[in-house]
Amino acid sequence: MLQFLKRCEYWIFDLDGTLTQPVHDFAYIRRELDIAPDEDILLHLASLPDVQRRQKSERLDQLEHFYALQTKSAEGVDSLIRLLTRKQCRLGIVTRNTKVFAQLSLSVLQLSSHFSDECIIGRDEALPKPEPHGIQTLISQWGVSAGDVMMVGDYKYDLLAGRAAGCRTIHVSNNDELQWPALTDYRFNSLSELSELL
């Protein structure tokens, strides 16, 4: 298993909470959008009539723009991404955020040069995770087998999407209460731990 990790050339990352420190206040976002505390935000918006969906989506865009500007690097992200770039790995991002705000976050993190535009898949380019659509888009674009690809994320949706696409999965979290072993091939407390292993 570790040998695969070390020789893997195709890496897909979640963005918020994985490459970045978590900054989104989802409880506040739900209150602002009048969404129940346990309801999925994107599924809620998708279920609304056109006018309501457009209004709430505009407000969500405003909030996500604010959070993108607050972006801070997750521990070890710089060393990991630079290491993978030196190894000439292909890198992609699949996020439930929009592509525009993902690009803004990467710019704030000074990581834009490591991710080509076509390898950043947001919710407007693919069905949002836990659907595997975004991951499958990148696999197809790269012309590789799903079994050659690593999906890295901090939450269940990332792991579910990776599993559904047929990828290996890495769960990055230092919260022992958040564990999904059936969906996880490798688990690390931080990207620093992963970088050191590689």
Side-chain angles (χ1 to χ4, degrees):
M1 289 282 276
L2 289 181
Q3 281 305 111
F4 175 83
L5 195 61
K6 291 182 178 183
R7 63 180 169 78
C8 182
E9 298 177 5
Y10 301 94
W11 295 77
I12 299 175
F13 294 90
D14 168 56
L15 180 63
D16 301 310
T18 299
L19 297 183
T20 73
Q21 295 177 30
V23 294
H24 287 69
D25 184 341
F26 290 108
Y28 175 74
I29 292 172
R30 285 185 175 89
R31 287 196 302 272
E32 278 289 292
L33 300 179
D34 194 25
I35 298 174
D38 58 348
E39 193 173 358
D40 184 283
I41 293 169
L42 298 184
L43 287 179
H44 172 87
L45 294 182
S47 72
L48 296 174
D50 286 350
V51 174
Q52 266 187 295
R53 183 171 64 247
R54 199 159 48 245
Q55 290 171 340
K56 288 193 177 186
S57 293
E58 285 174 4
R59 179 58 180 144
L60 179 60
D61 284 350
Q62 292 169 358
L63 292 167
E64 289 191 332
H65 182 254
F66 168 79
Y67 289 121
L69 292 174
Q70 315 306 311
T71 296
K72 292 183 173 60
S73 298
E75 179 193 336
V77 68
D78 291 321
S79 57
L80 176 63
I81 297 303
R82 283 170 172 71
L83 171 63
L84 294 176
T85 299
R86 283 198 305 276
K87 292 173 71 171
Q88 297 186 309
C89 296
R90 297 292 300 273
L91 305 180
I93 287 174
V94 175
T95 176
R96 284 167 59 91
N97 211 319
T98 65
K99 181 170 184 165
V100 168
F101 294 139
Q103 290 169 321
L104 176 57
S105 293
L106 289 171
S107 175
V108 173
L109 298 178
Q110 298 184 329
L111 292 176
S112 299
S113 63
H114 301 276
F115 295 90
S116 59
D117 284 353
E118 68 271 13
C119 292
I120 301 171
I121 308 293
R123 62 174 176 255
D124 297 325
E125 289 72 46
L127 296 171
K129 296 172 293 185
E131 295 293 332
H133 187 208
I135 297 172
Q136 291 166 336
T137 298
L138 286 179
I139 290 170
S140 175
Q141 186 183 125
W142 290 339
V144 296
S145 163
D148 294 329
V149 177
M150 191 70 73
M151 175 65 205
V152 185
D154 70 313
Y155 188 60
K156 177 171 61 176
Y157 286 173
D158 308 312
L159 306 174
L160 282 166
R163 269 288 189 269
C167 301
R168 307 288 180 96
T169 59
I170 293 178
H171 182 206
V172 180
S173 175
N174 59 10
N175 184 347
D176 288 337
E177 294 180 10
L178 292 180
Q179 296 201 44
W180 299 281
L183 303 173
T184 304
D185 291 305
Y186 309 89
R187 190 171 189 278
F188 297 95
N189 288 321
S190 68
L191 295 178
S192 293
E193 274 192 9
L194 172 56
S195 185
E196 286 166 15
L197 184 67
L198 297 176

